[in-house]
Amino acid sequence: MTELASTAVVTGGTRGIGRAVALRLAQSGYQVYFTYVSKPELAEEVVAEIEKAGGTAKAFRLDSADSDAVSTFFADEIKGKVSLDVLVNNAGITRDGLIMRMKDDDFNAVIDINLRGAFYCLREAAKIMAKQRMGRIVNIASVVGLMGNAGQINYVSAKAGLIGMTKSAARELGGRGVTVNAVAPGFIETDMTAALSEEVRKGYIANIPLKRMGTSEEVADAVAWLASDQAGYVTGQTLSVNGGMYM
Ligand code: NAP
């Protein structure tokens, strides 16, 4: 019997943290399957970068919030075809606004992608990993899921939910050799934070003990550690990568 390729699935791998995670896990030796929704040219760029460094990667246009599409992806591309060693639920969006002005659509869209989407992928991965009797799931939460944040009730609800989902899944899947952890990044330099005004950025940085924003690579290193053999006895945890922003 031929051995199936050791594979990591990363949602939202074309930009920011997901891109850095895809590159980092490829460096660790995984074949990387990553998803995106809107920019195929960026997806090609990431595949090319991984291949140039000697790795293997494939990009899939897949909206995490589409439950049927997620099931089809895992059935057609993963089950029985590769060894699903790692799932990183990274895809996420923000639609910030104050509570009293927040529209249903903005609340729901953020929950759909950041929370429901993570669940759809986790559920499919769990079926496969439980059967394999091994696997690593890492959910990308956020510092604000731990501390709350004015103007982000939708996003904070999703990220706090993701931390709860991590703890529950860790309890349910531990007996099958599957670990489930979260990484809670602080204020990281990506497209998501580029939209903030200079004043808001300065305000955040003033409250970070390390006095700078973090990089996507610093978050990716934490994810790679949780996916590695060194983290074999770590599950149900939320690892903060935030420059000391919230302690
Ligand atoms: P980003 O630069 O905006 O990148 C988001 C990635 O997710 C893109 O590749 C995007 O692909 C993909 N994506 C968006 N919606 C998707 C969907 N429905 N299905 C599949 N992929 C989708 O974001 P980031 O700053 O790297 O954030 C990544 C994760 O870290 C998010 O979960 C975010 O909440 C979390 N986080 C970020 C920070 C920060 O300071 N940046 C802090 C804490 C937590 P397309 O371009 O194709 O849409």
Side-chain angles (χ1 to χ4, degrees):
M1 214 174 76
T2 50
E3 206 171 295
L4 301 178
S6 178
T7 302
V9 170
V10 181
T11 65
T14 46
R15 294 186 280 119
I17 292 170
R19 182 184 183 124
V21 169
L23 293 166
R24 181 67 182 76
L25 292 178
Q27 224 178 57
S28 301
Y30 296 102
Q31 160 172 256
V32 175
Y33 284 7
F34 67 87
T35 68
Y36 67 99
V37 279
S38 68
K39 296 197 179 76
E41 65 285 0
L42 287 185
E44 278 168 31
E45 234 179 72
V46 176
V47 170
E49 201 173 335
I50 288 174
E51 287 176 348
K52 200 172 153 207
T56 316
K58 258 195 204 175
F60 298 86
R61 183 174 230 152
L62 172 66
D63 179 356
S64 293
D66 182 341
S67 173
D68 290 342
V70 168
S71 302
T72 303
F73 166 75
F74 278 90
D76 291 355
E77 306 290 344
I78 308 289
K79 197 174 169 202
K81 302 214 162 70
V82 300
S83 171
L84 180 60
D85 293 7
V86 183
L87 166 69
V88 182
N89 270 317
N90 165 79
I93 60 161
T94 51
R95 295 232 185 129
D96 298 352
L98 296 172
I99 294 168
M100 285 182 271
R101 285 195 221 132
M102 183 160 291
K103 306 265 183 290
D104 290 358
D105 280 355
D106 291 336
F107 190 88
N108 293 337
V110 169
I111 298 290
D112 281 350
I113 295 171
N114 298 38
L115 186 61
R116 276 190 227 278
F119 169 66
Y120 299 147
C121 293
L122 182 142
R123 178 173 56 190
E124 298 311 312
K127 293 177 198 167
I128 296 167
M129 289 175 172
K131 230 179 200 162
Q132 294 173 172
R133 300 215 149 256
M134 65 89 169
R136 298 291 166 86
I137 298 174
V138 182
N139 296 319
I140 307 299
S142 169
V143 63
V144 300
L146 296 164
M147 64 188 266
N149 200 18
Q152 288 197 307
I153 191 97
N154 47 0
Y155 184 76
V156 169
S157 301
K159 294 302 189 184
L162 200 51
I163 290 168
M165 190 187 299
T166 301
K167 291 181 191 169
S168 273
R171 287 181 182 270
E172 204 168 311
L173 301 174
R176 308 294 194 96
V178 179
T179 69
V180 189
N181 292 287
V183 169
F187 192 39
I188 310 297
E189 192 96 58
T190 69
D191 291 350
M192 192 177 264
T193 46
L196 298 172
S197 71
E198 199 45 41
E199 198 189 335
V200 172
R201 288 158 75 89
K202 278 194 183 142
Y204 273 122
I205 290 168
N207 287 313
I208 299 171
L210 290 182
K211 299 292 169 215
R212 65 171 177 89
M213 293 177 77
T215 66
S216 292
E217 289 71 26
E218 287 170 322
V219 179
D221 282 338
V223 173
W225 179 72
L226 286 169
S228 75
D229 289 346
Q230 283 81 49
Y233 200 55
V234 179
T235 196
Q237 304 304 306
T238 297
L239 176 55
S240 290
V241 182
N242 62 16
M245 188 175 174
Y246 178 74
M247 290 174 286

Coordinates of all heavy atoms in Angstrom, one line a residue, residues 12-18 35-39 62-64 90-93 113-114 140-142 155 159 185-188 190-193, ligand 1:
G12 N -8.0 30.1 4.2 CA -7.6 31.5 4.1 C -6.1 31.7 4.0 O -5.4 32.4 4.8
G13 N -5.5 31.0 3.0 CA -4.0 30.9 2.9 C -3.3 31.9 2.0 O -2.1 31.8 1.7
T14 N -4.1 32.8 1.4 CA -3.5 33.7 0.4 C -2.8 35.0 0.9 O -2.0 35.6 0.3 CB -4.5 34.2 -0.7 OG1 -5.7 34.6 0.0 CG2 -4.9 33.0 -1.6
R15 N -3.3 35.4 2.1 CA -2.7 36.7 2.7 C -2.4 36.5 4.1 O -2.9 35.6 4.8 CB -3.8 37.8 2.5 CG -4.0 38.1 1.0 CD -4.9 39.3 0.8 NE -6.3 38.9 1.0 CZ -7.1 39.5 1.9 NH1 -6.6 40.3 2.8 NH2 -8.4 39.1 2.0
G16 N -1.7 37.5 4.7 CA -1.5 37.6 6.1 C -1.1 36.4 6.9 O -0.2 35.7 6.4
I17 N -1.8 36.1 8.0 CA -1.4 35.0 8.9 C -1.5 33.7 8.2 O -0.6 32.8 8.3 CB -2.2 35.1 10.1 CG1 -1.9 36.3 11.0 CG2 -2.0 33.8 11.0 CD1 -2.8 36.6 12.1
G18 N -2.6 33.5 7.4 CA -2.8 32.2 6.7 C -1.7 31.9 5.7 O -1.2 30.7 5.6
T35 N -7.0 27.4 1.3 CA -8.2 27.9 0.6 C -8.2 29.4 0.5 O -7.4 30.0 1.2 CB -9.5 27.4 1.4 OG1 -9.5 28.1 2.6 CG2 -9.5 25.9 1.6
Y36 N -9.1 29.9 -0.3 CA -9.2 31.4 -0.4 C -10.6 31.6 -1.1 O -11.2 30.6 -1.5 CB -8.1 32.0 -1.3 CG -8.2 31.5 -2.7 CD1 -8.8 32.3 -3.7 CD2 -7.8 30.2 -3.1 CE1 -8.9 31.9 -5.0 CE2 -7.9 29.8 -4.4 CZ -8.5 30.6 -5.4 OH -8.6 30.1 -6.6
V37 N -11.0 32.9 -1.2 CA -12.3 33.1 -1.9 C -12.1 34.0 -3.1 O -12.8 33.9 -4.1 CB -13.5 33.6 -1.0 CG1 -14.1 32.4 -0.3 CG2 -13.0 34.7 -0.1
S38 N -11.3 35.0 -3.0 CA -11.4 36.1 -4.0 C -10.2 36.4 -4.9 O -10.4 37.1 -5.9 CB -11.8 37.4 -3.3 OG -10.7 37.8 -2.5
K39 N -9.0 35.9 -4.6 CA -7.9 36.3 -5.4 C -7.0 35.2 -5.9 O -6.0 34.9 -5.3 CB -7.0 37.3 -4.5 CG -7.8 38.6 -4.2 CD -6.9 39.7 -3.7 CE -7.6 40.9 -3.4 NZ -8.3 40.9 -2.1
L62 N -12.6 28.1 -1.9 CA -13.6 27.4 -1.1 C -14.0 28.4 0.0 O -13.2 28.8 0.9 CB -13.0 26.2 -0.4 CG -13.8 25.5 0.7 CD1 -15.1 24.9 0.1 CD2 -13.0 24.4 1.3
D63 N -15.3 28.8 0.1 CA -15.8 29.6 1.1 C -16.1 28.8 2.3 O -17.0 27.9 2.3 CB -17.1 30.3 0.6 CG -17.8 31.2 1.6 OD1 -17.3 31.3 2.7 OD2 -18.8 31.8 1.2
S64 N -15.4 29.1 3.4 CA -15.5 28.3 4.6 C -16.9 28.3 5.2 O -17.4 27.4 5.9 CB -14.6 28.9 5.8 OG -13.3 28.7 5.5
N90 N -8.1 29.3 9.8 CA -7.6 30.7 9.9 C -8.5 31.7 9.2 O -8.5 32.9 9.6 CB -6.2 30.7 9.2 CG -5.7 32.1 8.9 OD1 -5.3 32.8 9.7 ND2 -5.9 32.5 7.6
A91 N -9.3 31.3 8.3 CA -10.1 32.3 7.5 C -10.9 33.1 8.4 O -11.6 32.6 9.3 CB -11.0 31.5 6.5
G92 N -10.9 34.4 8.2 CA -11.6 35.3 9.0 C -11.8 36.7 8.4 O -11.0 37.1 7.5
I93 N -12.9 37.4 8.8 CA -13.1 38.8 8.4 C -13.5 39.6 9.5 O -13.9 39.1 10.6 CB -14.2 38.8 7.3 CG1 -15.6 38.3 7.9 CG2 -13.9 38.1 6.0 CD1 -16.8 38.7 7.1
I113 N -18.4 33.3 8.8 CA -17.1 32.9 8.3 C -16.2 32.5 9.5 O -15.6 31.4 9.5 CB -16.5 34.1 7.5 CG1 -17.3 34.2 6.2 CG2 -15.0 33.8 7.2 CD1 -17.0 35.5 5.4
N114 N -16.1 33.3 10.5 CA -15.2 33.1 11.6 C -15.5 31.9 12.5 O -14.6 31.3 13.1 CB -15.0 34.4 12.5 CG -14.5 35.5 11.7 OD1 -14.8 35.7 10.5 ND2 -13.6 36.3 12.3
I140 N -7.5 29.8 14.7 CA -6.9 31.1 14.9 C -8.0 32.0 15.6 O -8.9 32.4 14.9 CB -6.4 31.7 13.6 CG1 -5.4 30.8 12.9 CG2 -5.7 33.1 13.9 CD1 -4.1 30.5 13.7
A141 N -7.9 32.2 16.8 CA -8.8 33.1 17.6 C -8.3 34.5 17.6 O -7.8 35.0 16.5 CB -9.0 32.5 19.0
S142 N -8.3 35.2 18.7 CA -7.8 36.6 18.8 C -7.8 37.0 20.2 O -8.6 36.5 21.0 CB -8.8 37.5 18.0 OG -8.4 38.9 18.3
Y155 N -17.2 40.2 15.9 CA -16.0 39.5 15.8 C -15.6 38.9 17.1 O -15.1 37.7 17.2 CB -14.9 40.6 15.4 CG -13.5 40.1 15.1 CD1 -13.2 39.4 13.9 CD2 -12.5 40.3 16.0 CE1 -11.9 38.9 13.7 CE2 -11.2 39.9 15.8 CZ -10.9 39.2 14.6 OH -9.6 38.8 14.4
K159 N -14.9 35.0 18.0 CA -13.6 34.5 18.5 C -13.7 33.9 19.9 O -13.0 32.9 20.2 CB -12.5 35.7 18.5 CG -12.2 36.2 17.1 CD -11.6 35.1 16.2 CE -11.1 35.7 14.9 NZ -10.6 34.6 14.0
P185 N -3.8 35.6 18.4 CA -2.8 36.7 18.0 C -3.3 38.0 18.6 O -4.5 38.2 18.8 CB -2.9 36.7 16.5 CG -3.6 35.5 16.0 CD -4.5 35.1 17.2
G186 N -2.3 38.9 18.9 CA -2.7 40.3 19.3 C -2.9 41.1 18.1 O -3.6 40.8 17.1
F187 N -2.1 42.2 18.0 CA -2.2 43.2 16.9 C -1.1 42.9 15.9 O 0.1 43.1 16.1 CB -2.0 44.6 17.6 CG -2.4 45.7 16.7 CD1 -3.5 45.7 15.9 CD2 -1.6 46.9 16.8 CE1 -3.8 46.8 15.1 CE2 -2.0 48.0 16.0 CZ -3.1 47.9 15.2
I188 N -1.5 42.3 14.8 CA -0.6 41.7 13.8 C -0.6 42.5 12.5 O -1.8 42.9 12.0 CB -0.9 40.2 13.5 CG1 -1.0 39.4 14.8 CG2 0.2 39.6 12.6 CD1 0.2 39.3 15.7
T190 N -1.2 43.0 9.1 CA -1.7 42.3 7.9 C -2.7 43.3 7.2 O -3.0 44.4 7.7 CB -2.5 41.0 8.3 OG1 -3.7 41.4 8.9 CG2 -1.7 40.1 9.1
D191 N -3.3 42.8 6.1 CA -4.3 43.7 5.4 C -5.5 44.0 6.4 O -6.1 45.1 6.3 CB -5.0 42.9 4.2 CG -3.9 42.7 3.1 OD1 -2.9 43.3 3.2 OD2 -4.3 41.9 2.2
M192 N -5.8 43.1 7.3 CA -6.9 43.3 8.2 C -6.7 44.5 9.1 O -7.6 45.3 9.4 CB -7.1 42.0 9.1 CG -8.4 42.0 9.9 SD -8.6 40.5 10.8 CE -9.5 39.5 9.7
T193 N -5.4 44.7 9.6 CA -5.1 45.8 10.5 C -4.7 47.1 9.7 O -4.7 48.2 10.2 CB -4.1 45.4 11.5 OG1 -3.0 44.7 10.8 CG2 -4.6 44.5 12.6
Ligands
NAP1 P1 -6.3 38.9 6.1 O1 -5.0 39.5 5.8 O2 -7.6 39.7 5.9 O3 -6.5 37.5 5.3 C1 -7.6 36.7 5.4 C2 -7.5 35.5 4.6 O4 -8.7 34.7 4.8 C3 -7.4 35.7 3.2 O5 -6.6 34.7 2.6 C4 -8.8 35.6 2.6 O6 -8.9 35.1 1.3 C5 -9.3 34.4 3.5 N1 -10.8 34.4 3.7 C6 -11.6 35.4 4.0 N2 -12.9 35.0 4.0 C7 -12.8 33.6 3.7 C8 -13.8 32.6 3.5 N3 -15.1 32.9 3.6 N4 -13.4 31.4 3.1 C9 -12.1 31.1 3.0 N5 -11.1 32.0 3.1 C10 -11.5 33.3 3.4 O7 -6.5 38.4 7.6 P2 -5.3 38.2 8.7 O8 -5.1 39.4 9.5 O9 -4.2 37.4 8.2 O10 -6.2 37.2 9.7 C11 -6.2 35.8 9.7 C12 -6.9 35.3 10.9 O11 -6.2 35.8 12.1 C13 -8.3 35.7 11.0 O12 -9.1 34.6 11.6 C14 -8.3 36.9 12.0 O13 -9.5 37.0 12.7 C15 -7.1 36.4 12.9 N6 -6.5 37.5 13.6 C16 -5.9 38.5 13.0 C17 -5.3 39.5 13.8 C18 -4.5 40.7 13.1 O14 -4.1 41.6 13.9 N7 -4.3 40.7 11.9 C19 -5.3 39.5 15.2 C20 -6.0 38.4 15.8 C21 -6.6 37.4 15.0 P3 -9.5 36.1 0.2 O15 -8.4 37.2 0.0 O16 -9.6 35.3 -1.0 O17 -10.8 36.7 0.7

